[in-house]
Amino acid sequence: MFTILLLIIIYISFISLGLPDSVLGSAWPSMYSALYVPLHYAGYISMIIAGGTVISSVCSARIIRCFGTGMVTAISVCMTAVALIGFSFSHSFLWLCLCAVPLGLGAGSVDAALNNYVALHYKARHMSWLHCFWGIGASLGPIIMASYLSRHYSWNTGYRTIGIMQCCLVLLLFVSLPLWEKNKSTEKPVQHAVIPFSKLFSMVGVKEVMAAFFCYCSIEMITGLWGASFLVVEKGIAPEVAARWIALYYIGITSGRFISGFVTMQLSNRQMVRLGQIIIGCGIVVLVLPFEKTLLPGLFMIGLGCAPIYPSLIHETPANFGKAYSQAIIGIQMGSAYVGTTIMPPLFGWIASCMSFNILPIFIGIILIIKVIMVEMVNRKVKQRCSTCHNADIRV
Protein backbone atom coordinates (compact mmCIF):
# COMPACT_ATOMS: atom_id res chain seq x y z
CA MET A 1 0.00 0.00 0.00
CA PHE A 2 2.73 2.46 1.03
CA THR A 3 4.74 1.50 -2.08
CA ILE A 4 1.83 2.36 -4.41
CA LEU A 5 1.12 5.67 -2.66
CA LEU A 6 4.79 6.58 -2.78
CA LEU A 7 4.97 5.75 -6.48
CA ILE A 8 2.02 8.12 -7.10
CA ILE A 9 3.85 10.88 -5.20
CA ILE A 10 7.00 10.25 -7.28
CA TYR A 11 4.96 10.50 -10.49
CA ILE A 12 3.46 13.81 -9.35
CA SER A 13 6.93 15.07 -8.42
CA PHE A 14 8.05 14.51 -11.99
CA ILE A 15 5.19 16.69 -13.26
CA SER A 16 6.69 19.47 -11.15
CA LEU A 17 10.12 18.71 -12.58
CA GLY A 18 8.83 19.04 -16.15
CA LEU A 19 6.71 22.18 -15.70
CA PRO A 20 9.53 24.76 -15.80
CA ASP A 21 11.77 22.91 -18.27
CA SER A 22 9.91 23.87 -21.45
CA VAL A 23 8.47 27.28 -20.59
CA LEU A 24 11.49 29.45 -21.40
CA GLY A 25 11.79 28.20 -24.98
CA SER A 26 8.09 28.68 -25.74
CA ALA A 27 7.91 32.13 -24.11
CA TRP A 28 11.24 33.54 -25.31
CA PRO A 29 10.06 34.85 -28.73
CA SER A 30 7.76 37.16 -26.72
CA MET A 31 10.17 37.76 -23.82
CA TYR A 32 13.33 38.97 -25.52
CA SER A 33 11.74 42.04 -27.15
CA ALA A 34 10.06 43.03 -23.87
CA LEU A 35 13.40 42.70 -22.06
CA TYR A 36 15.31 44.59 -24.81
CA VAL A 37 17.93 41.87 -25.24
CA PRO A 38 19.12 39.92 -28.33
CA LEU A 39 17.37 36.69 -29.31
CA HIS A 40 20.29 34.42 -28.40
CA TYR A 41 20.30 35.58 -24.74
CA ALA A 42 17.92 32.74 -23.89
CA GLY A 43 21.01 30.54 -24.05
CA TYR A 44 22.57 32.41 -21.12
CA ILE A 45 19.55 31.84 -18.87
CA SER A 46 19.49 28.20 -19.92
CA MET A 47 23.20 27.94 -19.15
CA ILE A 48 22.74 29.28 -15.61
CA ILE A 49 19.84 26.89 -14.94
CA ALA A 50 21.80 23.94 -16.29
CA GLY A 51 24.95 24.97 -14.40
CA GLY A 52 23.07 24.86 -11.10
CA THR A 53 21.62 21.50 -12.06
CA VAL A 54 25.10 20.12 -12.81
CA ILE A 55 26.33 21.10 -9.35
CA SER A 56 23.34 19.64 -7.49
CA SER A 57 23.31 16.46 -9.62
CA VAL A 58 26.99 15.68 -9.05
CA CYS A 59 26.62 16.30 -5.29
CA SER A 60 23.27 14.49 -5.07
CA ALA A 61 24.63 11.20 -3.65
CA ARG A 62 26.09 12.98 -0.60
CA ILE A 63 23.05 15.23 -0.13
CA ILE A 64 20.60 12.31 -0.32
CA ARG A 65 22.72 10.27 2.10
CA CYS A 66 22.44 13.09 4.64
CA PHE A 67 18.77 14.10 4.29
CA GLY A 68 16.98 11.23 2.54
CA THR A 69 15.19 11.08 -0.81
CA GLY A 70 11.85 12.44 0.47
CA MET A 71 13.21 15.57 2.14
CA VAL A 72 15.57 16.34 -0.76
CA THR A 73 12.65 16.06 -3.19
CA ALA A 74 10.40 18.39 -1.19
CA ILE A 75 13.05 21.06 -0.62
CA SER A 76 14.25 20.92 -4.22
CA VAL A 77 10.75 21.41 -5.65
CA CYS A 78 10.25 24.27 -3.18
CA MET A 79 13.35 25.96 -4.64
CA THR A 80 11.98 25.67 -8.17
CA ALA A 81 8.62 27.10 -7.04
CA VAL A 82 10.30 30.15 -5.51
CA ALA A 83 12.35 30.63 -8.69
CA LEU A 84 9.26 30.48 -10.95
CA ILE A 85 7.43 33.04 -8.81
CA GLY A 86 10.57 35.19 -9.11
CA PHE A 87 10.44 34.85 -12.91
CA SER A 88 6.81 35.98 -12.89
CA PHE A 89 7.68 39.31 -11.23
CA SER A 90 10.75 39.96 -13.35
CA HIS A 91 11.06 42.82 -15.82
CA SER A 92 14.83 42.64 -16.35
CA PHE A 93 17.22 40.11 -17.84
CA LEU A 94 19.51 40.30 -14.78
CA TRP A 95 16.66 39.35 -12.42
CA LEU A 96 15.87 36.34 -14.63
CA CYS A 97 19.51 35.26 -14.36
CA LEU A 98 19.38 35.48 -10.56
CA CYS A 99 16.14 33.46 -10.38
CA ALA A 100 17.67 30.87 -12.69
CA VAL A 101 20.15 29.84 -9.98
CA PRO A 102 17.67 28.24 -7.50
CA LEU A 103 15.70 26.84 -10.45
CA GLY A 104 18.75 24.85 -11.58
CA LEU A 105 19.93 23.84 -8.10
CA GLY A 106 16.46 22.57 -7.20
CA ALA A 107 16.01 20.53 -10.37
CA GLY A 108 19.29 18.58 -10.16
CA SER A 109 18.96 16.89 -6.78
CA VAL A 110 15.33 15.82 -7.18
CA ASP A 111 16.05 14.44 -10.65
CA ALA A 112 18.96 12.29 -9.49
CA ALA A 113 17.22 11.19 -6.27
CA LEU A 114 13.97 10.00 -7.86
CA ASN A 115 15.61 8.41 -10.90
CA ASN A 116 17.89 6.27 -8.76
CA TYR A 117 15.06 5.36 -6.38
CA VAL A 118 12.88 4.11 -9.23
CA ALA A 119 15.82 2.36 -10.98
CA LEU A 120 16.49 0.38 -7.80
CA HIS A 121 12.96 -0.38 -6.60
CA TYR A 122 10.68 -0.53 -9.65
CA LYS A 123 10.55 -2.20 -13.07
CA ALA A 124 11.59 -0.55 -16.36
CA ARG A 125 8.00 0.32 -17.28
CA HIS A 126 7.72 2.55 -14.21
CA MET A 127 10.85 4.44 -15.27
CA SER A 128 9.26 5.14 -18.66
CA TRP A 129 5.97 6.20 -17.07
CA LEU A 130 7.85 8.32 -14.54
CA HIS A 131 9.41 10.30 -17.38
CA CYS A 132 6.03 10.34 -19.10
CA PHE A 133 4.83 12.40 -16.15
CA TRP A 134 7.82 14.71 -16.68
CA GLY A 135 6.51 15.05 -20.22
CA ILE A 136 3.04 15.95 -18.92
CA GLY A 137 4.59 18.81 -16.98
CA ALA A 138 6.80 19.80 -19.93
CA SER A 139 3.77 19.77 -22.27
CA LEU A 140 1.59 21.78 -19.89
CA GLY A 141 4.18 24.57 -19.61
CA PRO A 142 4.03 25.74 -23.27
CA ILE A 143 0.25 25.15 -23.43
CA ILE A 144 -0.31 27.40 -20.40
CA MET A 145 2.09 30.03 -21.77
CA ALA A 146 0.50 29.92 -25.25
CA SER A 147 -3.00 30.35 -23.78
CA TYR A 148 -1.96 33.57 -22.04
CA LEU A 149 0.00 34.91 -25.03
CA SER A 150 -2.93 34.25 -27.41
CA ARG A 151 -5.18 36.33 -25.11
CA HIS A 152 -2.58 39.13 -25.10
CA TYR A 153 -1.47 38.63 -21.51
CA SER A 154 2.22 39.08 -20.71
CA TRP A 155 4.61 36.15 -20.34
CA ASN A 156 4.85 37.07 -16.63
CA THR A 157 1.26 35.90 -16.11
CA GLY A 158 2.05 32.52 -17.62
CA TYR A 159 5.05 32.09 -15.32
CA ARG A 160 2.96 33.15 -12.31
CA THR A 161 0.34 30.49 -13.01
CA ILE A 162 3.01 27.79 -13.35
CA GLY A 163 4.69 29.01 -10.15
CA ILE A 164 1.40 28.72 -8.22
CA MET A 165 0.92 25.17 -9.55
CA GLN A 166 4.43 24.33 -8.35
CA CYS A 167 3.65 25.72 -4.88
CA CYS A 168 0.65 23.38 -4.62
CA LEU A 169 2.89 20.43 -5.46
CA VAL A 170 5.36 21.53 -2.77
CA LEU A 171 2.62 21.36 -0.13
CA LEU A 172 1.70 17.84 -1.26
CA LEU A 173 5.33 16.71 -1.05
CA PHE A 174 5.80 18.00 2.49
CA VAL A 175 2.53 16.38 3.61
CA SER A 176 3.66 13.07 2.10
CA LEU A 177 7.06 12.95 3.85
CA PRO A 178 5.92 10.28 6.38
CA LEU A 179 5.33 7.88 3.45
CA TRP A 180 9.06 7.78 2.73
CA GLU A 181 9.83 6.71 6.30
CA LYS A 182 7.09 4.06 6.35
CA ASN A 183 8.20 2.64 3.00
CA LYS A 184 11.83 2.68 4.10
CA SER A 185 11.03 0.35 7.01
CA THR A 186 9.46 -2.25 4.67
CA GLU A 187 12.12 -2.47 1.96
CA LYS A 188 15.55 -4.06 1.82
CA PRO A 189 18.17 -1.32 2.22
CA VAL A 190 20.76 -0.75 -0.51
CA GLN A 191 24.26 0.09 0.66
CA HIS A 192 25.53 2.88 -1.58
CA ALA A 193 29.31 2.90 -1.91
CA VAL A 194 31.15 6.11 -1.08
CA ILE A 195 33.94 6.46 -3.63
CA PRO A 196 35.91 9.42 -4.98
CA PHE A 197 34.98 10.93 -8.34
CA SER A 198 38.37 9.90 -9.77
CA LYS A 199 37.50 6.23 -9.24
CA LEU A 200 34.02 6.69 -10.71
CA PHE A 201 35.45 8.23 -13.87
CA SER A 202 37.93 5.37 -14.24
CA MET A 203 35.22 2.68 -14.24
CA VAL A 204 34.72 0.88 -17.56
CA GLY A 205 32.09 2.60 -19.71
CA VAL A 206 31.49 5.60 -17.44
CA LYS A 207 33.10 8.18 -19.73
CA GLU A 208 31.17 6.90 -22.73
CA VAL A 209 27.82 6.85 -20.93
CA MET A 210 28.46 10.40 -19.70
CA ALA A 211 29.07 11.46 -23.31
CA ALA A 212 25.83 9.74 -24.35
CA PHE A 213 23.85 11.67 -21.72
CA PHE A 214 25.60 14.89 -22.78
CA CYS A 215 24.50 14.35 -26.38
CA TYR A 216 20.95 13.27 -25.55
CA CYS A 217 20.18 16.29 -23.37
CA SER A 218 21.81 18.58 -25.92
CA ILE A 219 19.36 17.32 -28.57
CA GLU A 220 16.34 17.56 -26.28
CA MET A 221 17.19 21.00 -24.92
CA ILE A 222 18.27 22.63 -28.19
CA THR A 223 15.05 21.50 -29.86
CA GLY A 224 12.90 22.59 -26.91
CA LEU A 225 14.64 25.94 -26.35
CA TRP A 226 15.25 27.05 -29.92
CA GLY A 227 12.49 25.22 -31.79
CA ALA A 228 10.01 28.08 -31.37
CA SER A 229 12.62 30.63 -32.48
CA PHE A 230 13.40 28.44 -35.51
CA LEU A 231 9.70 28.46 -36.42
CA VAL A 232 9.24 32.21 -35.86
CA VAL A 233 12.47 33.55 -37.36
CA GLU A 234 12.97 31.18 -40.30
CA LYS A 235 9.47 29.87 -41.06
CA GLY A 236 7.37 32.97 -40.33
CA ILE A 237 5.13 31.27 -37.74
CA ALA A 238 3.39 33.56 -35.19
CA PRO A 239 4.92 33.36 -31.66
CA GLU A 240 1.72 32.06 -30.01
CA VAL A 241 1.35 29.39 -32.72
CA ALA A 242 5.03 28.42 -32.39
CA ALA A 243 4.54 27.98 -28.62
CA ARG A 244 1.69 25.52 -29.31
CA TRP A 245 3.77 23.64 -31.88
CA ILE A 246 6.63 23.23 -29.40
CA ALA A 247 4.06 21.87 -26.96
CA LEU A 248 3.44 19.16 -29.58
CA TYR A 249 7.15 18.29 -29.44
CA TYR A 250 6.80 17.70 -25.70
CA ILE A 251 3.56 15.82 -26.25
CA GLY A 252 5.60 13.52 -28.52
CA ILE A 253 7.98 12.88 -25.62
CA THR A 254 5.09 12.35 -23.19
CA SER A 255 3.01 10.00 -25.35
CA GLY A 256 6.16 8.13 -26.39
CA ARG A 257 7.09 7.47 -22.78
CA PHE A 258 3.60 6.28 -21.96
CA ILE A 259 3.77 3.81 -24.86
CA SER A 260 7.36 2.87 -23.93
CA GLY A 261 6.14 1.64 -20.56
CA PHE A 262 4.30 -1.15 -22.37
CA VAL A 263 6.97 -1.74 -25.03
CA THR A 264 9.62 -2.32 -22.32
CA MET A 265 7.76 -5.55 -21.48
CA GLN A 266 8.97 -6.87 -24.86
CA LEU A 267 12.19 -4.95 -25.58
CA SER A 268 15.32 -4.47 -23.47
CA ASN A 269 16.60 -1.06 -22.38
CA ARG A 270 19.30 -1.19 -25.06
CA GLN A 271 16.77 -1.97 -27.78
CA MET A 272 14.58 0.91 -26.59
CA VAL A 273 17.50 3.33 -26.87
CA ARG A 274 18.30 2.17 -30.41
CA LEU A 275 14.66 2.47 -31.46
CA GLY A 276 14.49 6.02 -30.10
CA GLN A 277 17.63 7.03 -31.97
CA ILE A 278 16.19 5.75 -35.26
CA ILE A 279 12.95 7.73 -34.76
CA ILE A 280 14.90 10.93 -33.96
CA GLY A 281 16.88 10.45 -37.15
CA CYS A 282 13.66 10.09 -39.17
CA GLY A 283 12.22 13.19 -37.48
CA ILE A 284 15.28 15.24 -38.44
CA VAL A 285 14.93 14.14 -42.07
CA VAL A 286 11.24 15.15 -42.09
CA LEU A 287 12.08 18.53 -40.49
CA VAL A 288 14.62 19.26 -43.24
CA LEU A 289 12.03 18.80 -46.00
CA PRO A 290 11.14 22.18 -47.60
CA PHE A 291 7.42 22.07 -46.74
CA GLU A 292 5.62 23.88 -43.92
CA LYS A 293 3.32 20.89 -43.44
CA THR A 294 6.29 18.70 -42.44
CA LEU A 295 7.39 20.97 -39.56
CA LEU A 296 4.79 19.69 -37.11
CA PRO A 297 5.32 15.95 -37.85
CA GLY A 298 9.09 16.47 -37.74
CA LEU A 299 9.01 18.05 -34.29
CA PHE A 300 6.59 15.40 -33.03
CA MET A 301 8.82 12.57 -34.32
CA ILE A 302 11.93 14.05 -32.68
CA GLY A 303 10.01 14.19 -29.39
CA LEU A 304 8.71 10.65 -29.90
CA GLY A 305 12.27 9.42 -30.52
CA CYS A 306 13.57 11.19 -27.42
CA ALA A 307 10.92 9.43 -25.32
CA PRO A 308 12.55 6.06 -24.50
CA ILE A 309 16.22 7.11 -24.46
CA TYR A 310 16.69 8.92 -21.15
CA PRO A 311 14.61 6.57 -18.94
CA SER A 312 16.11 3.46 -20.56
CA LEU A 313 19.69 4.69 -20.08
CA ILE A 314 18.93 5.57 -16.46
CA HIS A 315 17.23 2.25 -15.70
CA GLU A 316 20.18 0.35 -17.16
CA THR A 317 22.63 2.02 -14.73
CA PRO A 318 22.42 -0.51 -11.85
CA ALA A 319 22.82 -3.36 -14.37
CA ASN A 320 25.78 -1.69 -16.07
CA PHE A 321 27.70 -0.54 -13.00
CA GLY A 322 26.18 -2.26 -9.95
CA LYS A 323 23.53 -1.22 -7.41
CA ALA A 324 26.12 -0.02 -4.88
CA TYR A 325 27.45 2.55 -7.36
CA SER A 326 24.17 3.47 -9.04
CA GLN A 327 23.34 6.61 -7.01
CA ALA A 328 26.80 8.11 -7.50
CA ILE A 329 26.93 7.19 -11.20
CA ILE A 330 23.39 8.41 -11.89
CA GLY A 331 24.45 11.68 -10.26
CA ILE A 332 27.45 12.15 -12.56
CA GLN A 333 25.45 10.94 -15.58
CA MET A 334 22.94 13.68 -14.90
CA GLY A 335 25.74 16.12 -14.22
CA SER A 336 27.12 15.33 -17.68
CA ALA A 337 23.61 15.61 -19.18
CA TYR A 338 23.20 19.06 -17.71
CA VAL A 339 26.67 20.11 -18.84
CA GLY A 340 25.22 19.44 -22.29
CA THR A 341 22.23 21.66 -21.52
CA THR A 342 24.61 24.29 -20.10
CA ILE A 343 26.98 24.49 -23.05
CA MET A 344 25.13 23.44 -26.18
CA PRO A 345 21.97 25.66 -26.25
CA PRO A 346 23.92 28.94 -25.88
CA LEU A 347 26.53 27.63 -28.33
CA PHE A 348 23.82 26.85 -30.86
CA GLY A 349 22.15 30.22 -30.20
CA TRP A 350 25.42 32.04 -30.89
CA ILE A 351 26.14 30.02 -34.06
CA ALA A 352 22.57 30.45 -35.32
CA SER A 353 22.63 34.20 -34.69
CA CYS A 354 25.81 34.41 -36.77
CA MET A 355 24.55 32.08 -39.52
CA SER A 356 20.88 31.05 -39.56
CA PHE A 357 18.41 29.14 -37.41
CA ASN A 358 17.93 26.89 -40.43
CA ILE A 359 20.96 24.90 -39.23
CA LEU A 360 18.90 23.48 -36.33
CA PRO A 361 18.14 20.06 -37.93
CA ILE A 362 21.74 19.60 -39.15
CA PHE A 363 23.18 20.59 -35.77
CA ILE A 364 21.10 18.10 -33.79
CA GLY A 365 21.72 15.46 -36.48
CA ILE A 366 25.50 15.67 -35.92
CA ILE A 367 25.00 15.35 -32.15
CA LEU A 368 22.76 12.31 -32.72
CA ILE A 369 25.50 10.54 -34.70
CA ILE A 370 28.01 11.11 -31.87
CA LYS A 371 25.46 9.83 -29.35
CA VAL A 372 24.85 6.61 -31.31
CA ILE A 373 28.59 5.91 -31.33
CA MET A 374 28.92 6.52 -27.57
CA VAL A 375 25.95 4.28 -26.68
CA GLU A 376 27.32 1.39 -28.73
CA MET A 377 30.76 1.82 -27.12
CA VAL A 378 29.15 1.56 -23.66
CA ASN A 379 27.28 -1.60 -24.65
CA ARG A 380 30.43 -3.19 -26.06
CA LYS A 381 32.62 -2.34 -23.05
CA VAL A 382 30.05 -3.51 -20.48
CA LYS A 383 29.60 -6.76 -22.42
CA GLN A 384 33.37 -7.33 -22.51
CA ARG A 385 33.67 -6.63 -18.78
CA CYS A 386 30.84 -9.03 -17.92
CA SER A 387 32.39 -11.68 -20.16
CA THR A 388 35.77 -11.26 -18.43
CA CYS A 389 34.19 -11.55 -14.97
CA HIS A 390 32.24 -14.65 -16.02
CA ASN A 391 35.38 -16.32 -17.35
CA ALA A 392 37.24 -15.51 -14.13
CA ASP A 393 34.44 -17.08 -12.07
CA ILE A 394 34.64 -20.26 -14.17
CA ARG A 395 38.42 -20.52 -13.64
CA VAL A 396 37.95 -20.13 -9.89
Side-chain angles (χ1 to χ4, degrees):
M1 179 63 180
F2 293 132
T3 303
I4 295 171
L5 287 174
L6 189 57
L7 186 60
I8 292 170
I9 294 298
I10 293 171
Y11 281 161
I12 294 171
S13 300
F14 254 67
I15 294 177
S16 73
L17 195 61
L19 270 172
D21 280 2
S22 57
V23 182
L24 180 62
S26 60
W28 189 250
S30 300
M31 291 173 67
Y32 81 94
S33 56
L35 297 169
Y36 303 103
V37 296
L39 181 62
H40 69 275
Y41 270 37
Y44 298 135
I45 299 174
S46 171
M47 183 171 63
I48 294 168
I49 295 170
T53 310
V54 170
I55 294 169
S56 56
S57 294
V58 170
C59 299
S60 62
R62 291 169 173 80
I63 296 170
I64 293 162
R65 195 177 297 114
C66 292
F67 300 103
T69 303
M71 182 59 72
V72 168
T73 300
I75 292 174
S76 297
V77 176
C78 183
M79 291 173 66
T80 64
V82 170
L84 289 169
I85 296 296
F87 266 62
S88 74
F89 287 102
S90 174
H91 295 284
S92 74
F93 179 76
L94 179 60
W95 181 251
L96 289 178
C97 291
L98 291 174
C99 292
V101 175
L103 187 58
L105 290 172
S109 288
V110 66
D111 202 2
L114 295 181
N115 272 295
N116 185 63
Y117 192 88
V118 174
L120 288 173
H121 300 101
Y122 298 96
K123 295 184 182 296
R125 61 177 178 270
H126 290 297
M127 184 64 81
S128 291
W129 290 334
L130 176 70
H131 287 269
C132 171
F133 274 74
W134 173 89
I136 291 172
S139 301
L140 280 174
I143 290 171
I144 293 168
M145 186 60 70
S147 69
Y148 281 109
L149 294 177
S150 63
R151 288 181 288 165
H152 306 291
Y153 286 93
S154 72
W155 57 268
N156 301 81
T157 310
Y159 263 108
R160 192 164 301 129
T161 300
I162 294 167
I164 292 168
M165 292 172 65
Q166 199 83 324
C167 289
C168 295
L169 290 167
V170 170
L171 291 174
L172 177 63
L173 287 170
F174 275 106
V175 169
S176 66
L177 281 176
L179 282 176
W180 294 91
E181 292 301 319
K182 290 179 180 179
N183 196 63
K184 188 177 179 181
S185 63
T186 62
E187 65 185 21
K188 184 179 178 181
V190 176
Q191 296 299 320
H192 296 290
V194 181
I195 57 176
F197 289 124
S198 58
K199 185 176 178 182
L200 284 175
F201 294 140
S202 66
M203 292 177 68
V204 174
V206 166
K207 294 186 183 70
E208 290 79 8
V209 81
M210 288 174 65
F213 273 91
F214 177 96
C215 291
Y216 168 76
C217 277
S218 296
I219 293 169
E220 183 187 288
M221 190 64 183
I222 289 170
T223 307
L225 181 62
W226 294 114
S229 299
F230 165 72
L231 294 172
V232 172
V233 174
E234 300 296 340
K235 305 301 178 182
I237 307 297
E240 63 273 14
V241 175
R244 283 199 218 69
W245 285 20
I246 289 301
L248 187 68
Y249 161 70
Y250 286 104
I251 289 170
I253 297 178
T254 306
S255 59
R257 284 176 177 167
F258 178 75
I259 295 167
S260 294
F262 297 100
V263 180
T264 53
M265 299 176 190
Q266 301 296 325
L267 300 181
S268 67
N269 287 323
R270 293 181 182 182
Q271 290 171 326
M272 294 295 292
V273 171
R274 288 167 180 155
L275 178 62
Q277 291 169 165
I278 292 169
I279 297 173
I280 292 175
C282 294
I284 291 171
V285 171
V286 172
L287 199 61
V288 170
L289 296 176
F291 309 108
E292 184 177 315
K293 291 182 179 179
T294 63
L295 293 173
L296 220 54
L299 287 169
F300 181 78
M301 287 179 68
I302 293 171
L304 194 66
C306 286
I309 295 175
Y310 194 84
S312 297
L313 285 174
I314 288 287
H315 197 265
E316 192 73 359
T317 302
N320 283 342
F321 304 105
K323 291 183 177 181
Y325 301 110
S326 65
Q327 182 67 78
I329 290 177
I330 283 177
I332 63 172
Q333 283 175 166
M334 292 187 171
S336 179
Y338 288 115
V339 168
T341 63
T342 303
I343 296 172
M344 299 305 285
L347 175 63
F348 173 80
W350 178 76
I351 293 172
S353 65
C354 296
M355 299 174 63
S356 165
F357 275 89
N358 270 329
I359 67 169
L360 176 69
I362 298 169
F363 196 86
I364 61 176
I366 292 169
I367 299 172
L368 176 64
I369 292 169
I370 298 170
K371 183 195 172 299
V372 170
I373 294 169
M374 290 299 105
V375 167
E376 293 308 317
M377 286 180 68
V378 173
N379 293 341
R380 179 173 57 82
K381 288 191 174 186
V382 170
K383 185 178 179 180
Q384 288 176 347
R385 186 191 64 207
C386 293
S387 178
T388 302
C389 294
H390 178 69
N391 292 337
D393 290 340
I394 292 173
R395 285 195 296 272
V396 172

